[in-house]
Short mmCIF file of all heavy atoms in Angstrom, two decimals:
data_model
loop_
_atom_site.label_atom_id
_atom_site.label_comp_id
_atom_site.label_asym_id
_atom_site.label_seq_id
_atom_site.Cartn_x
_atom_site.Cartn_y
_atom_site.Cartn_z
N PRO A 197 -68.74 -19.42 35.31
CA PRO A 197 -68.22 -18.15 34.80
C PRO A 197 -67.56 -18.29 33.43
O PRO A 197 -67.19 -19.40 33.05
CB PRO A 197 -67.20 -17.74 35.86
CG PRO A 197 -66.92 -18.95 36.66
CD PRO A 197 -68.06 -19.88 36.52
N PRO A 198 -67.43 -17.19 32.71
CA PRO A 198 -66.79 -17.22 31.40
C PRO A 198 -65.37 -17.78 31.51
O PRO A 198 -64.70 -17.55 32.52
CB PRO A 198 -66.73 -15.74 30.98
CG PRO A 198 -67.71 -15.04 31.84
CD PRO A 198 -67.84 -15.82 33.10
N ASN A 199 -64.97 -18.52 30.51
CA ASN A 199 -63.60 -19.05 30.40
C ASN A 199 -63.27 -20.19 31.37
O ASN A 199 -62.12 -20.59 31.47
CB ASN A 199 -62.56 -17.95 30.58
CG ASN A 199 -62.08 -17.47 29.24
OD1 ASN A 199 -62.25 -18.17 28.23
ND2 ASN A 199 -61.51 -16.28 29.19
N ALA A 200 -64.25 -20.68 32.11
CA ALA A 200 -63.97 -21.78 33.05
C ALA A 200 -63.72 -23.08 32.29
O ALA A 200 -63.12 -24.02 32.82
CB ALA A 200 -65.13 -21.94 34.02
N GLY A 201 -64.19 -23.14 31.05
CA GLY A 201 -64.01 -24.35 30.24
C GLY A 201 -65.31 -25.12 30.05
O GLY A 201 -65.28 -26.32 29.78
N LYS A 202 -66.43 -24.42 30.13
CA LYS A 202 -67.74 -25.09 29.98
C LYS A 202 -67.88 -25.72 28.60
O LYS A 202 -68.28 -26.88 28.47
CB LYS A 202 -68.89 -24.07 30.18
CG LYS A 202 -68.95 -23.46 31.56
CD LYS A 202 -70.08 -22.46 31.68
CE LYS A 202 -69.96 -21.26 30.76
NZ LYS A 202 -68.75 -20.44 31.00
N SER A 203 -67.55 -24.93 27.57
CA SER A 203 -67.74 -25.44 26.21
C SER A 203 -66.76 -26.58 25.92
O SER A 203 -67.10 -27.53 25.22
CB SER A 203 -67.56 -24.32 25.18
OG SER A 203 -68.57 -23.35 25.39
N THR A 204 -65.56 -26.49 26.50
CA THR A 204 -64.58 -27.57 26.31
C THR A 204 -65.10 -28.85 26.97
O THR A 204 -65.01 -29.94 26.40
CB THR A 204 -63.22 -27.16 26.93
OG1 THR A 204 -62.88 -25.86 26.46
CG2 THR A 204 -62.13 -28.13 26.54
N VAL A 216 -68.08 -23.81 20.22
CA VAL A 216 -66.82 -23.12 19.93
C VAL A 216 -66.11 -22.80 21.25
O VAL A 216 -66.72 -22.34 22.21
CB VAL A 216 -67.09 -21.80 19.15
CG1 VAL A 216 -65.80 -21.02 18.95
CG2 VAL A 216 -67.76 -22.11 17.83
N VAL A 217 -64.80 -23.11 21.28
CA VAL A 217 -63.99 -22.86 22.47
C VAL A 217 -62.99 -21.78 22.13
O VAL A 217 -62.40 -21.79 21.06
CB VAL A 217 -63.24 -24.17 22.84
CG1 VAL A 217 -62.16 -23.89 23.86
CG2 VAL A 217 -64.21 -25.22 23.33
N SER A 218 -62.83 -20.81 23.06
CA SER A 218 -61.81 -19.79 22.81
C SER A 218 -61.41 -19.14 24.13
O SER A 218 -62.19 -19.11 25.08
CB SER A 218 -62.37 -18.76 21.82
OG SER A 218 -62.30 -17.47 22.35
N PRO A 219 -60.17 -18.59 24.17
CA PRO A 219 -59.76 -17.92 25.41
C PRO A 219 -60.46 -16.57 25.60
O PRO A 219 -60.36 -15.96 26.65
CB PRO A 219 -58.24 -17.73 25.22
CG PRO A 219 -57.94 -18.02 23.79
CD PRO A 219 -59.11 -18.68 23.17
N THR A 224 -69.26 -18.13 23.97
CA THR A 224 -70.56 -18.80 23.84
C THR A 224 -71.63 -17.75 24.10
O THR A 224 -71.76 -17.25 25.22
CB THR A 224 -70.67 -19.98 24.83
OG1 THR A 224 -69.52 -20.78 24.70
CG2 THR A 224 -71.91 -20.81 24.55
N ASN A 304 -62.10 -27.35 36.92
CA ASN A 304 -61.51 -27.68 35.61
C ASN A 304 -60.06 -27.19 35.53
O ASN A 304 -59.59 -26.44 36.37
CB ASN A 304 -62.38 -27.02 34.52
CG ASN A 304 -61.98 -27.48 33.13
OD1 ASN A 304 -61.54 -28.62 32.96
ND2 ASN A 304 -62.12 -26.62 32.15
N LYS A 305 -59.39 -27.65 34.50
CA LYS A 305 -57.99 -27.29 34.20
C LYS A 305 -57.04 -27.92 35.20
O LYS A 305 -56.09 -27.29 35.67
CB LYS A 305 -57.81 -25.76 34.11
CG LYS A 305 -58.89 -25.10 33.22
CD LYS A 305 -58.55 -23.70 32.77
CE LYS A 305 -59.74 -23.10 31.97
NZ LYS A 305 -59.52 -21.76 31.49
N SER A 306 -57.32 -29.20 35.56
CA SER A 306 -56.46 -29.89 36.52
C SER A 306 -55.07 -30.16 35.95
O SER A 306 -54.19 -30.63 36.66
CB SER A 306 -57.12 -31.22 36.95
OG SER A 306 -57.21 -32.08 35.83
N ASP A 307 -54.90 -29.87 34.66
CA ASP A 307 -53.56 -30.00 34.06
C ASP A 307 -52.67 -28.81 34.41
O ASP A 307 -51.49 -28.78 34.07
CB ASP A 307 -53.69 -30.13 32.53
CG ASP A 307 -54.51 -29.01 31.92
OD1 ASP A 307 -55.72 -28.90 32.22
OD2 ASP A 307 -53.94 -28.21 31.17
N THR A 308 -53.26 -27.80 35.10
CA THR A 308 -52.46 -26.63 35.49
C THR A 308 -52.34 -26.58 37.02
O THR A 308 -52.97 -27.37 37.73
CB THR A 308 -53.12 -25.32 35.00
OG1 THR A 308 -54.42 -25.26 35.62
CG2 THR A 308 -53.28 -25.29 33.50
N VAL A 331 -61.04 -32.05 37.09
CA VAL A 331 -60.93 -32.64 35.75
C VAL A 331 -60.12 -31.70 34.85
O VAL A 331 -59.95 -30.52 35.16
CB VAL A 331 -62.30 -32.88 35.06
CG1 VAL A 331 -63.29 -33.58 35.98
CG2 VAL A 331 -62.91 -31.59 34.54
N SER A 332 -59.65 -32.25 33.75
CA SER A 332 -59.12 -31.42 32.69
C SER A 332 -59.97 -31.71 31.46
O SER A 332 -59.85 -32.78 30.86
CB SER A 332 -57.65 -31.72 32.41
OG SER A 332 -57.28 -31.06 31.22
N ALA A 333 -60.82 -30.75 31.12
CA ALA A 333 -61.65 -30.94 29.92
C ALA A 333 -60.76 -31.00 28.69
O ALA A 333 -61.11 -31.60 27.68
CB ALA A 333 -62.66 -29.80 29.82
N LEU A 334 -59.56 -30.38 28.82
CA LEU A 334 -58.64 -30.32 27.69
C LEU A 334 -58.00 -31.68 27.43
O LEU A 334 -57.94 -32.14 26.28
CB LEU A 334 -57.55 -29.28 27.99
CG LEU A 334 -56.76 -28.73 26.82
CD1 LEU A 334 -57.66 -27.97 25.86
CD2 LEU A 334 -55.66 -27.79 27.34
N1 GDP B 501 -55.27 -25.76 30.48
C1 GDP B 501 -56.56 -25.94 30.25
N2 GDP B 501 -57.26 -25.05 29.52
C2 GDP B 501 -58.59 -25.29 29.31
C3 GDP B 501 -59.24 -26.42 29.85
N3 GDP B 501 -60.54 -26.36 29.48
C4 GDP B 501 -60.68 -25.24 28.75
N4 GDP B 501 -59.51 -24.59 28.64
C5 GDP B 501 -59.25 -23.34 27.93
O1 GDP B 501 -59.95 -22.27 28.55
C6 GDP B 501 -60.42 -21.35 27.58
C7 GDP B 501 -61.93 -21.17 27.72
O2 GDP B 501 -62.55 -22.40 27.38
P1 GDP B 501 -64.09 -22.48 27.00
O3 GDP B 501 -64.44 -23.91 26.93
O4 GDP B 501 -64.40 -21.65 25.79
O5 GDP B 501 -64.72 -21.81 28.28
P2 GDP B 501 -66.24 -21.32 28.54
O6 GDP B 501 -66.24 -19.85 28.34
O7 GDP B 501 -66.49 -21.64 29.99
O8 GDP B 501 -67.13 -22.05 27.61
C8 GDP B 501 -60.01 -21.90 26.22
O9 GDP B 501 -58.79 -21.28 25.85
C9 GDP B 501 -59.78 -23.37 26.50
O10 GDP B 501 -58.85 -23.95 25.64
C10 GDP B 501 -58.46 -27.35 30.61
O11 GDP B 501 -58.93 -28.38 31.11
N5 GDP B 501 -57.14 -27.06 30.78
#
Side-chain angles (χ1 to χ4, degrees):
N199 262 341
K202 297 179 298 298
S203 296
T204 310
V216 175
V217 167
S218 124
T224 310
N304 189 31
K305 312 197 184 180
S306 64
D307 54 295
T308 60
V331 312
S332 170
L334 199 63

